[in-house]
Amino acid sequence: MSKFEQSKQKLRGSIAPIITPFTEDGSVDFETLESLINWHIESGSHGISVTGTTGEPSSLTIEERIQVIERAAKAVNGRVPFVPGTGSTNHEETLYLTKRASEIEGVDGVLIIVPYYNKPSQHALYKHFKKVADTVPNLPIIVYNIPGRTSVNLEVKTLAKLNTDCPNIIGVKESNKDFEHVNRVLLECGRDFLLYSGIELLCYPMLAIGGAGYISATANVEPKKVAEVYDAWKEGDVERAANLHYELMPLNDVLFKDTNPAPLKAALGMMGRIKPILRLPMDLPTKELQDEIRAVLQHYVELDKVTAK
Protein backbone atom coordinates (compact mmCIF):
# COMPACT_ATOMS: atom_id res chain seq x y z
CA MET A 1 0.00 0.00 0.00
CA SER A 2 1.41 3.41 -1.01
CA LYS A 3 1.85 6.28 1.43
CA PHE A 4 -1.14 8.11 -0.04
CA GLU A 5 -3.33 5.01 0.11
CA GLN A 6 -2.38 4.67 3.78
CA SER A 7 -3.33 8.33 4.31
CA LYS A 8 -6.71 7.69 2.72
CA GLN A 9 -7.35 4.95 5.24
CA LYS A 10 -6.10 7.03 8.17
CA LEU A 11 -7.62 10.47 7.59
CA ARG A 12 -11.26 9.68 8.34
CA GLY A 13 -13.91 10.67 10.83
CA SER A 14 -14.26 13.89 12.80
CA ILE A 15 -11.16 16.02 12.22
CA ALA A 16 -11.66 18.83 14.73
CA PRO A 17 -10.65 22.33 13.52
CA ILE A 18 -9.34 23.84 16.74
CA ILE A 19 -9.76 27.55 17.51
CA THR A 20 -6.64 29.60 18.24
CA PRO A 21 -6.91 30.79 21.86
CA PHE A 22 -5.48 34.16 22.86
CA THR A 23 -4.38 35.61 26.18
CA GLU A 24 -5.71 38.89 27.53
CA ASP A 25 -2.78 40.75 25.93
CA GLY A 26 -3.69 39.28 22.53
CA SER A 27 -0.84 36.80 22.19
CA VAL A 28 -1.38 33.16 21.30
CA ASP A 29 -2.22 31.08 24.37
CA PHE A 30 -0.20 27.94 23.64
CA GLU A 31 -0.91 26.35 27.01
CA THR A 32 -4.65 26.49 26.40
CA LEU A 33 -4.17 25.27 22.82
CA GLU A 34 -2.47 22.15 24.16
CA SER A 35 -5.23 21.69 26.75
CA LEU A 36 -7.90 21.89 24.02
CA ILE A 37 -6.08 19.33 21.89
CA ASN A 38 -5.85 16.91 24.80
CA TRP A 39 -9.56 17.40 25.53
CA HIS A 40 -10.45 16.68 21.92
CA ILE A 41 -8.42 13.50 21.75
CA GLU A 42 -9.82 12.30 25.09
CA SER A 43 -13.33 13.08 23.80
CA GLY A 44 -12.93 10.89 20.73
CA SER A 45 -12.08 13.30 17.92
CA HIS A 46 -10.49 11.26 15.13
CA GLY A 47 -8.07 13.96 14.02
CA ILE A 48 -6.89 17.49 14.75
CA SER A 49 -6.52 20.53 12.52
CA VAL A 50 -5.32 24.03 13.37
CA THR A 51 -4.97 27.33 11.47
CA GLY A 52 -7.94 26.66 9.23
CA THR A 53 -10.87 29.11 9.04
CA THR A 54 -11.89 28.38 12.65
CA GLY A 55 -8.32 29.05 13.78
CA GLU A 56 -8.36 32.69 12.57
CA PRO A 57 -5.33 32.30 10.27
CA SER A 58 -5.81 35.73 8.69
CA SER A 59 -5.42 37.24 12.17
CA LEU A 60 -2.09 35.47 12.72
CA THR A 61 1.33 36.37 11.41
CA ILE A 62 3.11 33.80 9.26
CA GLU A 63 5.49 33.03 12.11
CA GLU A 64 2.61 32.63 14.55
CA ARG A 65 0.95 30.15 12.19
CA ILE A 66 4.13 28.09 12.09
CA GLN A 67 4.43 28.24 15.89
CA VAL A 68 0.82 27.08 16.31
CA ILE A 69 1.43 24.17 13.92
CA GLU A 70 4.63 23.20 15.74
CA ARG A 71 3.08 23.32 19.21
CA ALA A 72 -0.05 21.51 18.05
CA ALA A 73 1.99 18.74 16.41
CA LYS A 74 3.88 18.28 19.65
CA ALA A 75 0.65 18.19 21.68
CA VAL A 76 -1.00 15.67 19.35
CA ASN A 77 2.13 13.53 19.55
CA GLY A 78 0.93 11.05 16.95
CA ARG A 79 -2.15 10.01 18.94
CA VAL A 80 -4.48 10.94 16.06
CA PRO A 81 -3.84 12.32 12.55
CA PHE A 82 -2.83 15.97 12.40
CA VAL A 83 -3.71 18.14 9.39
CA PRO A 84 -2.93 21.86 9.77
CA GLY A 85 -4.15 24.57 7.40
CA THR A 86 -1.39 26.14 5.31
CA GLY A 87 -3.34 28.08 2.70
CA SER A 88 -3.33 31.81 2.09
CA THR A 89 -4.58 34.29 -0.45
CA ASN A 90 -0.91 34.78 -1.33
CA HIS A 91 0.68 32.04 -3.45
CA GLU A 92 4.21 32.43 -2.07
CA GLU A 93 2.94 32.40 1.51
CA THR A 94 1.04 29.19 0.77
CA LEU A 95 4.18 27.60 -0.64
CA TYR A 96 6.23 28.73 2.35
CA LEU A 97 3.75 27.60 5.00
CA THR A 98 3.22 24.25 3.28
CA LYS A 99 6.94 23.57 2.95
CA ARG A 100 7.50 24.48 6.60
CA ALA A 101 4.64 22.22 7.67
CA SER A 102 6.14 19.36 5.65
CA GLU A 103 9.28 19.63 7.77
CA ILE A 104 7.46 19.38 11.11
CA GLU A 105 7.35 15.95 12.71
CA GLY A 106 3.83 14.73 13.23
CA VAL A 107 2.17 16.50 10.30
CA ASP A 108 0.14 13.88 8.42
CA GLY A 109 -1.14 16.17 5.68
CA VAL A 110 -2.19 19.77 5.07
CA LEU A 111 -5.44 21.59 4.38
CA ILE A 112 -5.09 24.29 1.71
CA ILE A 113 -7.88 26.78 1.13
CA VAL A 114 -8.92 28.17 -2.24
CA PRO A 115 -7.31 31.64 -2.28
CA TYR A 116 -9.73 34.27 -1.04
CA TYR A 117 -10.35 37.90 -2.05
CA ASN A 118 -8.56 37.82 -5.43
CA LYS A 119 -11.15 35.53 -7.13
CA PRO A 120 -8.86 33.50 -9.43
CA SER A 121 -10.12 31.70 -12.53
CA GLN A 122 -10.38 27.91 -12.67
CA HIS A 123 -7.23 27.80 -14.77
CA ALA A 124 -5.38 29.92 -12.19
CA LEU A 125 -6.66 27.75 -9.35
CA TYR A 126 -5.35 24.66 -11.12
CA LYS A 127 -1.89 26.25 -11.53
CA HIS A 128 -1.86 27.38 -7.89
CA PHE A 129 -2.67 23.98 -6.41
CA LYS A 130 -0.51 22.12 -8.94
CA LYS A 131 2.52 24.22 -8.00
CA VAL A 132 1.94 23.63 -4.28
CA ALA A 133 1.48 19.88 -4.80
CA ASP A 134 4.62 19.65 -6.93
CA THR A 135 6.61 21.56 -4.28
CA VAL A 136 5.79 19.01 -1.54
CA PRO A 137 5.26 15.78 -3.55
CA ASN A 138 5.38 13.49 -0.51
CA LEU A 139 2.90 15.42 1.62
CA PRO A 140 -0.83 14.55 1.42
CA ILE A 141 -2.93 17.59 0.52
CA ILE A 142 -6.62 18.20 1.20
CA VAL A 143 -8.02 21.07 -0.84
CA TYR A 144 -10.42 23.36 1.02
CA ASN A 145 -13.34 24.71 -1.02
CA ILE A 146 -15.41 27.31 0.83
CA PRO A 147 -17.16 29.58 -1.69
CA GLY A 148 -18.93 31.59 1.00
CA ARG A 149 -15.56 32.88 2.23
CA THR A 150 -13.60 32.98 -1.02
CA SER A 151 -16.25 34.09 -3.55
CA VAL A 152 -14.88 31.40 -5.88
CA ASN A 153 -16.12 27.83 -6.24
CA LEU A 154 -13.51 25.23 -7.15
CA GLU A 155 -15.37 23.42 -9.90
CA VAL A 156 -15.56 19.64 -9.97
CA LYS A 157 -13.70 19.39 -13.30
CA THR A 158 -10.83 21.48 -11.93
CA LEU A 159 -10.62 19.31 -8.82
CA ALA A 160 -10.78 16.12 -10.89
CA LYS A 161 -7.88 17.33 -13.05
CA LEU A 162 -5.84 18.11 -9.96
CA ASN A 163 -6.65 14.66 -8.57
CA THR A 164 -5.43 13.07 -11.82
CA ASP A 165 -2.29 15.18 -12.16
CA CYS A 166 -1.23 15.36 -8.49
CA PRO A 167 -1.04 12.02 -6.62
CA ASN A 168 -0.65 13.82 -3.28
CA ILE A 169 -3.96 15.70 -3.61
CA ILE A 170 -6.03 13.06 -1.87
CA GLY A 171 -9.19 14.85 -0.80
CA VAL A 172 -11.29 17.96 -0.42
CA LYS A 173 -13.10 19.72 2.40
CA GLU A 174 -16.32 20.99 0.85
CA SER A 175 -17.89 23.89 2.74
CA ASN A 176 -20.38 23.94 -0.08
CA LYS A 177 -24.15 23.87 0.36
CA ASP A 178 -24.60 22.58 -3.19
CA PHE A 179 -25.15 18.89 -2.45
CA GLU A 180 -25.27 18.06 -6.15
CA HIS A 181 -21.74 19.47 -6.44
CA VAL A 182 -20.38 17.29 -3.65
CA ASN A 183 -22.00 14.19 -5.14
CA ARG A 184 -20.24 14.89 -8.41
CA VAL A 185 -16.89 15.23 -6.63
CA LEU A 186 -16.90 11.50 -5.84
CA LEU A 187 -18.31 10.64 -9.26
CA GLU A 188 -15.49 12.49 -11.07
CA CYS A 189 -12.62 12.00 -8.61
CA GLY A 190 -13.38 8.41 -7.63
CA ARG A 191 -14.99 6.85 -4.60
CA ASP A 192 -11.62 6.57 -2.82
CA PHE A 193 -11.12 10.35 -2.96
CA LEU A 194 -11.51 11.78 0.55
CA LEU A 195 -14.60 13.99 0.76
CA TYR A 196 -15.15 15.92 4.00
CA SER A 197 -18.05 18.13 4.90
CA GLY A 198 -17.36 21.60 6.20
CA ILE A 199 -21.07 22.38 6.43
CA GLU A 200 -22.45 21.23 9.78
CA LEU A 201 -25.88 20.20 8.51
CA LEU A 202 -24.25 18.10 5.78
CA CYS A 203 -21.81 16.17 7.99
CA TYR A 204 -24.17 13.22 8.38
CA PRO A 205 -25.63 13.29 4.83
CA MET A 206 -22.09 13.40 3.40
CA LEU A 207 -21.34 10.05 5.03
CA ALA A 208 -24.31 8.52 3.23
CA ILE A 209 -22.86 9.29 -0.22
CA GLY A 210 -19.41 7.96 0.66
CA GLY A 211 -17.76 10.85 2.47
CA ALA A 212 -14.67 10.22 4.57
CA GLY A 213 -15.85 12.39 7.44
CA TYR A 214 -16.08 16.07 8.27
CA ILE A 215 -14.17 19.03 9.62
CA SER A 216 -16.85 20.65 11.74
CA ALA A 217 -16.44 23.81 13.80
CA THR A 218 -19.12 22.54 16.20
CA ALA A 219 -16.64 19.92 17.37
CA ASN A 220 -14.95 22.70 19.33
CA VAL A 221 -17.94 22.73 21.69
CA GLU A 222 -19.23 19.13 21.48
CA PRO A 223 -16.28 16.99 20.35
CA LYS A 224 -17.70 13.76 21.76
CA LYS A 225 -21.10 13.88 20.10
CA VAL A 226 -19.72 15.20 16.81
CA ALA A 227 -17.28 12.28 16.70
CA GLU A 228 -20.02 9.83 17.70
CA VAL A 229 -22.00 10.63 14.54
CA TYR A 230 -19.17 9.10 12.50
CA ASP A 231 -18.64 6.25 14.95
CA ALA A 232 -22.32 5.30 14.83
CA TRP A 233 -22.36 5.43 11.04
CA LYS A 234 -19.23 3.31 10.77
CA GLU A 235 -20.74 0.75 13.14
CA GLY A 236 -23.88 0.58 11.01
CA ASP A 237 -26.09 2.23 13.63
CA VAL A 238 -27.83 4.53 11.18
CA GLU A 239 -30.61 5.45 13.61
CA ARG A 240 -28.17 6.63 16.29
CA ALA A 241 -26.17 8.61 13.73
CA ALA A 242 -29.36 10.31 12.54
CA ASN A 243 -30.51 11.00 16.10
CA LEU A 244 -27.18 12.64 16.95
CA HIS A 245 -27.35 14.66 13.74
CA TYR A 246 -30.70 16.14 14.75
CA GLU A 247 -29.66 16.51 18.38
CA LEU A 248 -26.74 18.71 17.32
CA MET A 249 -28.78 20.83 14.91
CA PRO A 250 -29.85 23.61 17.37
CA LEU A 251 -26.23 23.99 18.48
CA ASN A 252 -25.03 24.09 14.87
CA ASP A 253 -27.60 26.77 14.09
CA VAL A 254 -26.74 29.13 16.93
CA LEU A 255 -22.97 28.80 16.41
CA PHE A 256 -23.32 30.21 12.91
CA LYS A 257 -25.54 33.22 13.66
CA ASP A 258 -22.37 35.32 13.54
CA THR A 259 -19.13 34.81 11.66
CA ASN A 260 -17.14 31.76 12.74
CA PRO A 261 -15.32 31.53 15.14
CA ALA A 262 -16.86 34.39 17.14
CA PRO A 263 -19.81 32.35 18.51
CA LEU A 264 -17.49 29.40 19.19
CA LYS A 265 -15.18 31.50 21.29
CA ALA A 266 -18.11 32.96 23.20
CA ALA A 267 -19.40 29.44 23.88
CA LEU A 268 -15.99 28.12 24.91
CA GLY A 269 -15.61 31.08 27.24
CA MET A 270 -18.94 30.21 28.86
CA MET A 271 -17.69 26.64 29.25
CA GLY A 272 -14.51 27.84 30.95
CA ARG A 273 -12.31 26.34 28.26
CA ILE A 274 -10.73 29.58 26.99
CA LYS A 275 -10.61 33.30 27.52
CA PRO A 276 -13.09 34.46 24.85
CA ILE A 277 -10.80 36.78 22.92
CA LEU A 278 -10.57 37.45 19.18
CA ARG A 279 -8.29 39.77 17.28
CA LEU A 280 -9.81 42.69 15.41
CA PRO A 281 -11.37 42.98 12.90
CA MET A 282 -13.15 39.95 14.45
CA ASP A 283 -15.00 40.39 17.72
CA LEU A 284 -17.37 38.55 20.04
CA PRO A 285 -21.09 38.43 19.18
CA THR A 286 -23.55 40.96 20.58
CA LYS A 287 -24.84 40.49 24.11
CA GLU A 288 -28.19 39.39 22.68
CA LEU A 289 -26.60 36.63 20.63
CA GLN A 290 -24.36 35.60 23.52
CA ASP A 291 -27.48 35.21 25.67
CA GLU A 292 -29.00 33.04 22.94
CA ILE A 293 -25.82 30.95 22.71
CA ARG A 294 -25.87 30.42 26.46
CA ALA A 295 -29.52 29.36 26.39
CA VAL A 296 -28.84 26.75 23.70
CA LEU A 297 -25.51 25.67 25.14
CA GLN A 298 -26.96 24.74 28.52
CA HIS A 299 -28.84 21.89 26.84
CA TYR A 300 -25.50 20.31 25.87
CA VAL A 301 -23.12 21.08 28.75
CA GLU A 302 -23.54 21.89 32.45
CA LEU A 303 -22.04 25.35 32.44
CA ASP A 304 -22.08 25.80 36.22
CA LYS A 305 -19.96 22.65 36.69
CA VAL A 306 -17.13 23.75 34.44
CA THR A 307 -14.20 25.42 36.19
CA ALA A 308 -13.40 28.74 34.55
CA LYS A 309 -9.82 29.31 33.48
Side-chain angles (χ1 to χ4, degrees), residues 137-151:
N138 294 317
L139 184 66
I141 292 173
I142 298 167
V143 176
Y144 181 11
N145 188 30
I146 179 168
R149 290 265 191 167
T150 64
S151 297

Side-chain angles (χ1 to χ4, degrees), residues 117-146:
Y117 180 73
N118 41 29
K119 299 179 69 174
S121 67
Q122 296 299 307
H123 176 65
L125 286 173
Y126 172 83
K127 291 178 69 175
H128 170 71
F129 282 109
K130 178 72 161 57
K131 176 65 174 179
V132 177
D134 289 347
T135 301
V136 287
N138 294 317
L139 184 66
I141 292 173
I142 298 167
V143 176
Y144 181 11
N145 188 30
I146 179 168

Side-chain angles (χ1 to χ4, degrees), residues 17 47 73 99 101 130 142 144 197-198 204 222 224 234 238 291:
K99 285 190 286 187
K130 178 72 161 57
I142 298 167
Y144 181 11
S197 178
Y204 170 61
E222 265 283 20
K224 187 174 186 294
K234 187 177 179 182
V238 177
D291 289 343

Side-chain angles (χ1 to χ4, degrees), residues 66-220:
I66 293 168
Q67 290 172 352
V68 169
I69 294 170
E70 289 176 335
R71 293 291 290 269
K74 185 176 180 181
V76 173
N77 194 28
R79 290 177 289 171
V80 295
F82 176 53
V83 186
T86 59
S88 167
T89 192
N90 182 290
H91 178 71
E92 292 300 324
E93 285 182 1
T94 301
L95 287 175
Y96 177 72
L97 284 164
T98 305
K99 285 190 286 187
R100 287 293 302 271
S102 72
E103 297 164 357
I104 296 171
E105 184 178 355
V107 170
D108 296 291
V110 290
L111 183 68
I112 302 180
I113 195 170
V114 168
Y116 40 92
Y117 180 73
N118 41 29
K119 299 179 69 174
S121 67
Q122 296 299 307
H123 176 65
L125 286 173
Y126 172 83
K127 291 178 69 175
H128 170 71
F129 282 109
K130 178 72 161 57
K131 176 65 174 179
V132 177
D134 289 347
T135 301
V136 287
N138 294 317
L139 184 66
I141 292 173
I142 298 167
V143 176
Y144 181 11
N145 188 30
I146 179 168
R149 290 265 191 167
T150 64
S151 297
V152 175
N153 184 41
L154 181 66
E155 294 177 3
V156 174
K157 289 184 178 180
T158 307
L159 183 60
K161 183 170 173 55
L162 285 166
N163 178 47
T164 298
D165 296 346
C166 308
N168 55 330
I169 293 182
I170 64 170
V172 62
K173 175 185 177 182
E174 285 283 358
S175 292
N176 195 325
K177 293 184 178 180
D178 184 346
F179 204 58
E180 180 179 346
H181 170 100
V182 298
N183 276 266
R184 295 192 181 281
V185 167
L186 290 183
L187 178 66
E188 298 295 333
C189 295
R191 298 283 293 280
D192 66 335
F193 194 66
L194 300 182
L195 173 64
Y196 305 92
S197 178
I199 298 290
E200 275 58 32
L201 296 189
L202 294 183
C203 289
Y204 170 61
M206 204 83 89
L207 297 176
I209 64 168
Y214 36 82
I215 304 173
S216 168
T218 304
N220 279 274

